């Protein structure tokens, strides 16, 4: 073993070396991408970003973060770029400004993949100032909120125009097919800020927001935070998601149960829907949409059903039972009409919030769209004529369903 001759090293140099070693050993490790963000490296997401002109969104955001010399400056950059992404996507879908690429304008996927590219930049950003994990998480939350339209819901003052709030979802099941689009998200982008003529001849302003397909965000109250300020002021609300092949469904009953299907982070959750004040939590909530009128109206080429089926554990029972006509007294929920995934959960949360706010007469509930399908034989292309036709027709029919939902009784 050799001897270390420290006497020849100046004290100042020794201190510098020690401090440098401590700095290296205590520096935070660079954050790994989330499961969702890791999918960005696949070919189709890159193609969607390039063909929509959204491939520069994340680099521009990264440059703004690099210039931020404080938390306050970073927060301003996050809000500006997040809100800008939402508005840019809405404008693209609604035909304002240049298309910036050959991808169909009504596509919801550029918003999804560009947001993930931005959150990946934010998670791995190394600022020149101290940034705690909690502070970084707040910035990520602000980026999520602003880029989903959740903090941009603005209804006109006065009584001349009805107010309708509609929500959609991100694409999901992307490990099965990374090309997937979500027609509810596409409809939300197409309808945000628009005026529609309701079935009774009135004008209605539609405001929209998009939600993630992640159990944790719902457990943290994202739905309630977004909807609570607006439900007392609207004339109707509709949560919308992708459901069954070839049909729309107005889901009559919503259940307080998570069925365990993996979310976009591949996380599974099973058990009661976690809500505030669980002691007063009902097993079931009910739509207040005019389901009979919606199902009977000529809203588009897809049939619309009033879906009353649920899965329950009957009072005194132990095994789940399917009830085509709705839940029986005292039963425990295992699936609402909209299933036991986040479609059912957003419907449950929104209608429970309606009830807790004392808005029993407010029309509101969940609508499932048809599954958005590619054409037969298309196993790799990001879009095809059938896919585009289906998405356009579903969006048009969502608009017509809302027109009926917002009409007077």
């Amino acid at each position: 073993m050799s001897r270390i001759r420290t006497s020849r090293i100046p004290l100042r140099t020794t201190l510098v070396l020690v401090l440098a070693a401590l700095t290296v050993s205590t520096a935070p490790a660079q954050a790994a991408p989330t499961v969702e963000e890791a999918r960005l490296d696949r070919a189709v997401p890159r193609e969607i970003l390039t063909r929509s002109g959204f491939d520069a969104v994340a680099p521009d955001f990264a440059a703004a973060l690099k210039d931020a010399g404080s938390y306050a400056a970073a927060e301003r950059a996050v809000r500006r770029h997040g809100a800008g992404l939402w508005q840019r996507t809405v404008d693209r879908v609604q035909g304002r400004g240049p298309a910036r690429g050959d991808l169909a304008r009504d596509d919801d996927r550029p918003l999804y993949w560009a947001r993930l590219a931005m959150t990946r930049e934010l998670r791995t950003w190394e600022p020149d100032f101290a940034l705690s994990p909690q502070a970084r998480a707040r910035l990520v939350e602000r980026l999520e909120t602003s880029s989903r339209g959740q903090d941009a819901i603005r209804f006109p003052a006065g009584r001349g125009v009805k107010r309708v709030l509609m929500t959609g979802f991100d694409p999901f099941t992307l490990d099965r097919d990374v090309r997937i689009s979500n027609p509810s998200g596409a409809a939300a982008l197409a309808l945000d800020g628009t005026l529609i003529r309701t079935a009774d001849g009135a004008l209605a302003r539609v405001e929209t927001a998009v939600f993630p397909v992640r159990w944790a965000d719902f457990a943290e109250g994202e739905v309630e935070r977004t909807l609570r300020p607006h439900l007392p002021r609207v004339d109707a609300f509709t949560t919308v998601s992708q459901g069954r092949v070839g049909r729309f469904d107005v889901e009559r009953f919503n259940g307080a149960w998570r069925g365990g299907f993996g979310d976009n982070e591949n996380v599974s959750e099973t058990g009661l829907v976690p809500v505030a004040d669980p002691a007063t939590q009902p097993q079931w909530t009910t739509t207040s949409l005019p389901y009979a009128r919606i199902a009977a109206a000529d809203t588009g080429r897809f049939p619309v059903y009033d879906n009353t089926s649920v899965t329950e554990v009957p009072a005194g029972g132990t095994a789940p039972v399917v009830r085509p006509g709705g839940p029986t007294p005292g039963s425990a929920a295992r699936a609402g009409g909209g299933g036991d995934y986040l479609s059912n959960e957003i419907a449950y949360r929104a209608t429970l919030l309606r009830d807790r706010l004392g808005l029993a007469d407010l029309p509101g509930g969940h609508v499932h769209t048809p599954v958005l399908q590619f054409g037969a034989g298309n196993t790799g292309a990001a879009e095809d004529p059938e896919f585009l036709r289906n998405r356009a027709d579903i969006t048009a029919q969502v608009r017509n369903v809302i027109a009926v939902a917002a009409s007077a009784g």
Side-chain angles (χ1 to χ4, degrees):
M1 176 179 272
S2 62
R3 294 171 60 190
I4 301 176
R5 297 164 62 182
T6 58
S7 59
R8 295 185 180 180
I9 302 176
L11 178 61
R12 180 179 297 176
T13 303
T14 302
L15 291 174
V16 169
L17 291 172
V18 170
L19 289 173
L22 288 174
T23 301
V24 170
S25 64
T26 59
Q30 192 176 63
T34 67
V35 171
E36 280 189 283
E37 291 163 357
R39 298 187 184 105
L40 280 162
D41 296 326
R42 301 183 189 181
V44 169
R46 294 197 303 270
E47 176 188 349
I48 288 170
L49 289 173
T50 300
R51 291 180 57 194
S52 62
F54 280 49
D55 51 335
V57 168
D60 289 347
F61 177 57
L65 288 176
K66 185 177 180 181
D67 291 340
S70 66
Y71 178 85
E75 185 176 34
R76 288 193 295 271
V78 163
R79 290 186 183 277
R80 182 174 69 256
H81 284 261
L85 175 60
W86 172 258
Q87 192 58 54
R88 176 177 170 179
T89 314
V90 169
D91 288 345
R92 187 178 194 276
V93 169
Q94 296 185 14
R96 292 186 291 271
R100 299 183 184 180
D102 66 345
L103 198 71
R105 294 190 73 129
D106 66 339
D107 204 314
D108 61 304
R109 296 172 296 178
L111 172 65
Y112 177 72
W113 293 113
R115 181 193 304 114
L116 286 175
M118 292 172 71
T119 58
R120 184 162 69 174
E121 293 289 352
L122 185 52
R123 291 184 210 279
T124 59
W125 169 52
E126 296 181 355
D128 294 331
F129 56 91
L131 184 68
S132 69
Q134 294 78 12
R136 192 186 297 268
R138 288 195 298 271
L139 291 176
V140 172
E141 180 183 350
R142 284 170 173 78
L143 177 56
E144 288 272 346
T145 300
S146 60
S147 65
R148 294 180 176 281
Q150 293 175 3
D151 59 2
I153 298 169
R154 304 284 188 273
F155 287 106
R159 296 180 174 273
V161 177
K162 291 185 175 183
R163 303 170 181 86
V164 180
L165 181 58
M166 177 239 169
T167 68
F169 271 105
D170 286 347
F172 65 108
T173 63
L174 293 156
D175 288 332
R176 177 172 61 83
D177 188 343
V178 76
R179 302 174 300 160
I180 283 173
S181 166
N182 194 319
S184 69
L189 292 167
L191 296 178
D192 186 53
T194 63
L195 288 172
I196 64 173
R197 184 72 64 178
T198 67
D200 60 351
L203 280 177
R205 168 71 171 262
V206 183
E207 289 286 316
T208 71
V210 172
F211 283 88
V213 183
R214 296 190 296 253
W215 294 111
D217 297 72
F218 278 47
E220 291 166 2
E222 184 172 333
V223 173
E224 291 82 358
R225 282 195 307 272
T226 303
L227 302 187
R228 183 178 287 108
H230 306 290
L231 289 196
R233 301 178 54 237
V234 302
D235 297 287
F237 69 90
T238 309
T239 57
V240 183
S241 66
Q242 178 176 250
R244 302 169 181 91
V245 174
R247 59 185 277 180
F248 275 79
D249 288 280
V250 182
E251 306 298 355
R252 186 89 72 90
F253 303 102
N254 317 297
W257 189 256
R258 294 177 155 191
F261 190 76
D263 65 9
N264 274 351
E265 287 290 319
N266 292 337
V267 172
S268 176
E269 293 284 347
T270 303
L272 279 173
V273 170
V275 297
D277 194 12
T280 64
Q281 178 178 13
Q283 286 292 306
W284 306 98
T285 63
T286 305
T287 189
S288 49
L289 291 172
Y291 49 85
R293 290 207 311 273
I294 294 172
D298 181 12
T299 54
R301 72 179 173 98
F302 296 102
V304 181
Y305 294 91
D306 166 25
N307 183 27
T308 60
S309 180
V310 301
T311 302
E312 66 174 19
V313 177
T318 57
V321 176
V322 175
R323 299 289 192 192
T328 58
S331 66
R334 287 299 178 269
D340 56 12
Y341 196 39
L342 288 161
S343 295
N344 168 77
E345 183 158 332
I346 197 170
Y348 178 85
R349 289 180 178 275
T351 49
L352 178 60
L353 179 62
R354 173 204 64 196
D355 296 344
R356 288 180 167 180
L357 291 173
L359 303 171
D361 294 332
L362 174 63
H366 194 76
V367 173
H368 259 128
T369 76
V371 173
L372 181 55
Q373 296 178 302
F374 291 95
N378 177 4
T379 59
E383 57 185 10
D384 62 47
E386 183 175 342
F387 175 82
L388 298 178
R389 176 188 177 227
N390 286 338
R391 188 168 60 200
D393 286 354
I394 290 169
T395 292
Q397 196 159 349
V398 169
R399 180 185 290 109
N400 293 336
V401 167
I402 289 175
V404 178
S407 62

